[in-house]
Amino acid sequence: MDKLTALRLGRRLVTEVPGAGPGRRAFVEIRPVETDTDAAVRRQGWTRADRNRTFRLTHRDYDADQLDGFDYDIGAILVRAATVAGEAQLLAAIEAWSLRPEQFLHPWQTDDPR
């Protein structure tokens, strides 16, 4: 599935970025914000594409030794977060964080613990 389509359908994308230091791994997540309409459509077994979604970007840094366990949040640090409205603001935020859209992958293609 095309990554932009995934975002429009409310699915998240992730990229790994350099960790804060030795023994650290970090990830930036784009998570579309779910609306009441999205929830209602999902209860009916559907997903809804929306070009005007609001997105939450989150950069977290983890203790690399904790990623494989159930307590991956132990030692996790929220580096920064932002909420943006629409695809143009999302692109601007990604660029402001010195990232490129093509870096982002589907979560199952990464080691992101979330």
Side-chain angles (χ1 to χ4, degrees), residues 13-104:
L13 296 177
V14 178
T15 188
E16 187 164 358
V17 296
R24 306 292 297 179
R25 290 182 73 188
F27 299 87
V28 174
E29 168 189 66
I30 303 172
R31 182 180 296 273
V33 175
E34 184 176 79
T35 65
D36 291 340
T37 303
D38 292 322
V41 169
R42 190 180 63 249
R43 283 191 297 273
Q44 296 174 10
W46 299 89
T47 55
R48 178 181 78 86
D50 185 352
R51 292 176 178 263
N52 298 309
R53 287 192 179 277
T54 296
F55 301 95
R56 179 93 173 138
L57 280 86
T58 309
H59 177 177
R60 290 187 176 88
D61 190 86
Y62 298 91
D63 179 337
D65 292 337
Q66 297 294 327
L67 287 182
D68 291 331
F70 291 106
D71 293 329
Y72 59 82
D73 280 337
I74 293 175
I77 299 167
L78 176 62
V79 177
R80 60 185 163 178
T83 301
V84 297
E87 294 171 7
Q89 285 188 13
L90 175 61
L91 182 58
I94 289 169
E95 290 174 355
W97 287 18
S98 300
L99 298 171
R100 297 178 324 279
E102 59 271 13
Q103 286 179 253
F104 287 86

